[in-house]
Amino acid sequence: MRHRVPTFALGSLAAALLAACGGGGGGSEAPKTTLSGTVADGYLKGATVCLDVNGNSICDSGEPSGITTDGGKYTLTGITASDETKYPVLVSVPATAIDSDNPTGTVGKSYFLSSPAGKGSFVSPLTTLIQQKVVAGASIDTAESTVKTLLSITDTTVSLFSDYVAAQGTAVQTDATTAGRYARTHEAARVVAASLQAGYDALKSDSNAKAVQKVLLAQAEDALSVQKVTAADTSNPTFSTAGVVAADSPNTLKKILAYEKGNTVAATQTVNIDFDVVAGSQAVSCGVALTGLGTKATSGQVKDLRFYITNVLLIDAQGNTVPVKLDDNANQSRDVALIDFEDATGKCPTSTGTVTTYKSIAGKVAPGTYVGVALTLGVPVKSADADKVSLNHSDTTAATTPPLLTNASMAWSWQSGRKFSKIEFVPDAPITRPTGTTTTWNVHLGSTGCKGDPTKGVVTACTNPNRMDFSFAAFNASTQKIVLDLAELFKNSDLSYDSGGAAGCMSGTTDPECAGIFEALQIGLASGLPINGGAAQKLFAVKAK
């Protein structure tokens, strides 16, 4: 005869065993363990690593953390085994960190890295891209597959969670060997890191770290996409930081970030910002004679005077920037405005000009009290809104292209880009050149070193964005206007002479005439990026109406 064992007896025995082993209730803690791994672009020494326990994408005090040592090694102590698989790994890379790709110097600019929960053994710019896709809802496997497709890596033995520095050895990036494919991931990681560095300093103080990381990683993916589609063999692309890094101006990133964060307060407060142009103490318009411009005190008249303004941000007393949503009209769309002082009179030709001028921008902002303003001279790569429509490099015949960007006289041929400024001056005497003379000294500002075909739907990026950011800590739109000073623009330029090539400055990095113009714009001629946020610029100023 079989005997039934009472279930309560088994339950009591299990409880006793658990109690004897220190388990069960009573508040006993789970066993502690450590998490070790490696951090790399090249191996990074001096970076802070943590588990993002509270999910805010910042290494906070109290979260398990450590500092990377030689070879990018780190160890986190005092965690549980479940912590490792529950929380993502974050890395804060300071400007002083040492990269083994450049062992004699520091990385120079701070940035961030991350890796999904359970994948902390190797953290890199590529695992950071994967983590961003995981945050957006993808599985780890799907996210890794998407990034591998971006790199044209189909080899299933290659893992983006593997140490590509060690796996690469001495191989160069190629599709011929597994080591070569790991070399490709290493070079792609460098491109991502460089792209993150290009914009991080402008946004890192923002309170919403998740939104900051999303914006910068989208820029980094654009950089990889452009390099891939412009490679001679797109099935085996190579990546290089000397190629295209999709670096937009800091003000552009701030405007995009404002949309990513979302604005809980409707923009209902009207904003009107007036513009004017002077040449020192002289008023400027078509048909008006100007004197004393440039290093040779040249006299003459303007022939054209138009420029694009974007990223209009008002600044409150606490230093917060709030986006102005520009109204839509023939001269304003997608938060870009074409300021137009050319009226087809005097030296300003009717063949390429317009009789109608546009000297004030109009829009709306969230209600508040604002004390300053920030703006950008130029056209962004893409609109800052959720639609992300291509702007600077776009098909002029496409329905999504705003009318103010279809003006043929404000366009130039490379990758369908725009002239951010078309400021042309005709001296009274012909301009001397090595091969003869010319009549017009041009300031055509625009992005250069561009890759990607916008007619094929490819995001176009440029080595030299050449957008000018500027701001005024004190500005009252009701009593003041923003004034462009041609005397400051031409302060370091000889308007009676041109050394050859493009007449005047058309944004060429080797054009001698561009050195003085870019100094006035406070844009690095070699890099195409704003110098210190344009803090020292005197081209634009605030004056009473």
Side-chain angles (χ1 to χ4, degrees), residues 504-532:
C505 172
M506 294 191 182
S507 302
T509 56
T510 60
D511 188 337
E513 274 68 53
C514 283
I517 295 298
F518 271 62
E519 183 179 348
L521 295 166
Q522 283 293 282
I523 299 173
L525 182 57
S527 68
L529 296 175
I531 298 173
N532 193 27

Short mmCIF file of all heavy atoms in Angstrom, two decimals, residues 504-532:
data_model
loop_
_atom_site.label_atom_id
_atom_site.label_comp_id
_atom_site.label_asym_id
_atom_site.label_seq_id
_atom_site.Cartn_x
_atom_site.Cartn_y
_atom_site.Cartn_z
N GLY A 504 36.65 86.79 -54.92
CA GLY A 504 36.27 86.98 -53.53
C GLY A 504 36.42 85.68 -52.78
O GLY A 504 37.34 84.91 -53.01
N CYS A 505 35.48 85.39 -51.89
CA CYS A 505 35.51 84.16 -51.09
C CYS A 505 34.26 83.35 -51.35
O CYS A 505 33.15 83.82 -51.10
CB CYS A 505 35.61 84.49 -49.60
SG CYS A 505 35.42 83.05 -48.53
N MET A 506 34.45 82.13 -51.86
CA MET A 506 33.34 81.20 -52.05
C MET A 506 33.55 79.95 -51.20
O MET A 506 33.29 78.83 -51.65
CB MET A 506 33.16 80.87 -53.52
CG MET A 506 32.73 82.06 -54.37
SD MET A 506 32.23 81.58 -56.04
CE MET A 506 31.87 83.19 -56.75
N SER A 507 34.06 80.16 -49.99
CA SER A 507 34.18 79.13 -48.96
C SER A 507 35.27 78.10 -49.21
O SER A 507 35.31 77.06 -48.56
CB SER A 507 32.83 78.41 -48.73
OG SER A 507 31.84 79.32 -48.37
N GLY A 508 36.18 78.35 -50.14
CA GLY A 508 37.27 77.42 -50.39
C GLY A 508 38.29 77.47 -49.27
O GLY A 508 38.76 78.55 -48.87
N THR A 509 38.70 76.32 -48.77
CA THR A 509 39.61 76.27 -47.61
C THR A 509 41.02 76.76 -47.97
O THR A 509 41.78 77.13 -47.08
CB THR A 509 39.71 74.85 -47.04
OG1 THR A 509 40.11 73.95 -48.09
CG2 THR A 509 38.36 74.41 -46.49
N THR A 510 41.37 76.74 -49.27
CA THR A 510 42.70 77.20 -49.68
C THR A 510 42.67 78.55 -50.36
O THR A 510 43.71 79.04 -50.84
CB THR A 510 43.34 76.17 -50.64
OG1 THR A 510 42.52 76.03 -51.80
CG2 THR A 510 43.50 74.82 -49.96
N ASP A 511 41.51 79.19 -50.40
CA ASP A 511 41.37 80.49 -51.04
C ASP A 511 41.89 81.58 -50.09
O ASP A 511 41.33 81.77 -48.99
CB ASP A 511 39.90 80.75 -51.38
CG ASP A 511 39.70 82.00 -52.21
OD1 ASP A 511 40.56 82.90 -52.18
OD2 ASP A 511 38.67 82.08 -52.90
N PRO A 512 42.93 82.31 -50.46
CA PRO A 512 43.48 83.34 -49.56
C PRO A 512 42.46 84.39 -49.16
O PRO A 512 42.52 84.94 -48.05
CB PRO A 512 44.62 83.97 -50.38
CG PRO A 512 45.00 82.91 -51.36
CD PRO A 512 43.73 82.19 -51.70
N GLU A 513 41.51 84.68 -50.04
CA GLU A 513 40.50 85.70 -49.72
C GLU A 513 39.54 85.24 -48.62
O GLU A 513 38.83 86.07 -48.04
CB GLU A 513 39.70 86.06 -50.97
CG GLU A 513 40.34 87.14 -51.83
CD GLU A 513 41.63 86.66 -52.50
OE1 GLU A 513 41.61 85.61 -53.16
OE2 GLU A 513 42.66 87.35 -52.34
N CYS A 514 39.49 83.93 -48.34
CA CYS A 514 38.55 83.43 -47.34
C CYS A 514 39.05 83.58 -45.91
O CYS A 514 38.26 83.53 -44.96
CB CYS A 514 38.20 81.97 -47.61
SG CYS A 514 37.02 81.74 -48.97
N ALA A 515 40.36 83.74 -45.73
CA ALA A 515 40.91 83.81 -44.37
C ALA A 515 40.29 84.96 -43.58
O ALA A 515 39.81 84.78 -42.45
CB ALA A 515 42.43 83.95 -44.43
N GLY A 516 40.28 86.16 -44.15
CA GLY A 516 39.71 87.32 -43.47
C GLY A 516 38.22 87.23 -43.29
O GLY A 516 37.68 87.63 -42.25
N ILE A 517 37.52 86.71 -44.30
CA ILE A 517 36.06 86.58 -44.22
C ILE A 517 35.66 85.60 -43.13
O ILE A 517 34.77 85.87 -42.32
CB ILE A 517 35.49 86.14 -45.58
CG1 ILE A 517 35.72 87.23 -46.65
CG2 ILE A 517 34.01 85.80 -45.47
CD1 ILE A 517 35.05 88.55 -46.36
N PHE A 518 36.33 84.44 -43.08
CA PHE A 518 35.98 83.43 -42.07
C PHE A 518 36.36 83.91 -40.66
O PHE A 518 35.70 83.52 -39.69
CB PHE A 518 36.64 82.10 -42.41
CG PHE A 518 35.80 81.24 -43.31
CD1 PHE A 518 35.45 81.67 -44.58
CD2 PHE A 518 35.33 80.01 -42.88
CE1 PHE A 518 34.67 80.90 -45.42
CE2 PHE A 518 34.52 79.22 -43.70
CZ PHE A 518 34.19 79.66 -44.96
N GLU A 519 37.38 84.74 -40.55
CA GLU A 519 37.69 85.32 -39.25
C GLU A 519 36.54 86.21 -38.78
O GLU A 519 36.15 86.19 -37.61
CB GLU A 519 38.99 86.12 -39.32
CG GLU A 519 39.41 86.70 -37.98
CD GLU A 519 40.71 87.49 -38.06
OE1 GLU A 519 41.40 87.40 -39.09
OE2 GLU A 519 41.02 88.20 -37.10
N ALA A 520 35.99 86.98 -39.71
CA ALA A 520 34.84 87.83 -39.35
C ALA A 520 33.62 86.98 -39.00
O ALA A 520 32.86 87.33 -38.09
CB ALA A 520 34.51 88.76 -40.52
N LEU A 521 33.44 85.87 -39.70
CA LEU A 521 32.31 84.98 -39.43
C LEU A 521 32.51 84.15 -38.17
O LEU A 521 31.56 83.55 -37.66
CB LEU A 521 32.11 84.03 -40.62
CG LEU A 521 31.69 84.65 -41.96
CD1 LEU A 521 31.86 83.65 -43.08
CD2 LEU A 521 30.25 85.14 -41.89
N GLN A 522 33.75 84.10 -37.67
CA GLN A 522 34.11 83.26 -36.54
C GLN A 522 33.79 81.79 -36.82
O GLN A 522 33.19 81.07 -36.00
CB GLN A 522 33.44 83.74 -35.26
CG GLN A 522 34.10 84.96 -34.64
CD GLN A 522 35.50 84.65 -34.11
OE1 GLN A 522 35.66 84.07 -33.04
NE2 GLN A 522 36.51 85.05 -34.86
N ILE A 523 34.21 81.37 -38.02
CA ILE A 523 34.13 79.96 -38.43
C ILE A 523 35.55 79.52 -38.74
O ILE A 523 36.30 80.23 -39.41
CB ILE A 523 33.24 79.79 -39.68
CG1 ILE A 523 31.81 80.23 -39.40
CG2 ILE A 523 33.26 78.33 -40.14
CD1 ILE A 523 30.92 80.23 -40.63
N GLY A 524 35.93 78.34 -38.28
CA GLY A 524 37.25 77.81 -38.59
C GLY A 524 37.34 77.48 -40.07
O GLY A 524 36.55 76.68 -40.56
N LEU A 525 38.26 78.10 -40.79
CA LEU A 525 38.35 77.86 -42.23
C LEU A 525 38.69 76.41 -42.53
O LEU A 525 38.18 75.84 -43.49
CB LEU A 525 39.40 78.79 -42.86
CG LEU A 525 39.58 78.70 -44.37
CD1 LEU A 525 38.28 78.97 -45.11
CD2 LEU A 525 40.68 79.68 -44.83
N ALA A 526 39.52 75.78 -41.72
CA ALA A 526 39.90 74.39 -41.95
C ALA A 526 38.82 73.41 -41.54
O ALA A 526 38.59 72.40 -42.20
CB ALA A 526 41.20 74.07 -41.22
N SER A 527 38.12 73.72 -40.45
CA SER A 527 37.14 72.77 -39.90
C SER A 527 35.71 73.04 -40.35
O SER A 527 34.89 72.13 -40.39
CB SER A 527 37.18 72.80 -38.37
OG SER A 527 36.69 74.05 -37.89
N GLY A 528 35.38 74.31 -40.63
CA GLY A 528 34.01 74.66 -40.97
C GLY A 528 33.09 74.73 -39.77
O GLY A 528 31.87 74.82 -39.92
N LEU A 529 33.64 74.71 -38.55
CA LEU A 529 32.83 74.74 -37.34
C LEU A 529 32.96 76.09 -36.64
O LEU A 529 34.00 76.75 -36.75
CB LEU A 529 33.26 73.62 -36.39
CG LEU A 529 33.06 72.19 -36.91
CD1 LEU A 529 33.65 71.19 -35.93
CD2 LEU A 529 31.58 71.90 -37.14
N PRO A 530 31.94 76.51 -35.89
CA PRO A 530 32.00 77.80 -35.20
C PRO A 530 33.18 77.86 -34.22
O PRO A 530 33.53 76.86 -33.60
CB PRO A 530 30.67 77.86 -34.45
CG PRO A 530 29.76 76.93 -35.19
CD PRO A 530 30.64 75.83 -35.69
N ILE A 531 33.79 79.03 -34.12
CA ILE A 531 34.89 79.24 -33.17
C ILE A 531 34.30 79.74 -31.86
O ILE A 531 33.72 80.83 -31.80
CB ILE A 531 35.90 80.27 -33.72
CG1 ILE A 531 36.53 79.76 -35.03
CG2 ILE A 531 36.97 80.56 -32.69
CD1 ILE A 531 37.39 80.79 -35.72
N ASN A 532 34.39 78.90 -30.84
CA ASN A 532 33.92 79.29 -29.51
C ASN A 532 32.48 79.79 -29.54
O ASN A 532 32.12 80.76 -28.86
CB ASN A 532 34.84 80.36 -28.90
CG ASN A 532 34.58 80.57 -27.41
OD1 ASN A 532 34.13 79.66 -26.72
ND2 ASN A 532 34.86 81.77 -26.93
#
